[in-house]
Amino acid sequence: MPIWIWVIFAGILVSAWMSVYTARQDRKKENEWIEQEGQKYIERMKEEQEDREKEQQPRMEH
């Protein structure tokens, strides 16, 4: 086989590998971002719950 066929074949393999590698990195970054946003959401929910508990305490004492 001519050398140019091997070069094209190698290029296809490198391209496929880079595609898979990049997809994995993107998925990892996306999962990290989702985790961070989830933590922010949970923190806001806890703060809101604490605020509600603080507001209800004076009413119960009266």
Side-chain angles (χ1 to χ4, degrees):
M1 275 197 254
I3 189 81
W4 63 271
I5 291 177
W6 288 106
V7 171
I8 290 174
F9 182 68
I12 290 170
L13 289 178
V14 169
S15 177
W17 181 79
M18 286 301 292
S19 177
V20 171
Y21 178 75
T22 303
R24 284 184 184 164
Q25 283 185 331
D26 286 347
R27 194 176 319 123
K28 182 179 176 183
K29 286 181 183 180
E30 185 175 327
N31 286 338
E32 289 173 357
W33 181 82
I34 290 170
E35 182 69 27
Q36 289 174 354
E37 291 299 312
Q39 289 298 325
K40 290 178 186 177
Y41 179 76
I42 290 171
E43 196 62 36
R44 279 186 293 197
M45 294 298 287
K46 286 180 182 178
E47 289 174 4
E48 186 176 326
Q49 185 178 15
E50 290 172 0
D51 289 345
R52 286 181 186 168
E53 290 174 356
K54 287 178 183 177
E55 289 176 3
Q56 289 179 356
Q57 284 178 352
R59 292 180 190 165
M60 290 181 176
E61 292 174 359
H62 287 93

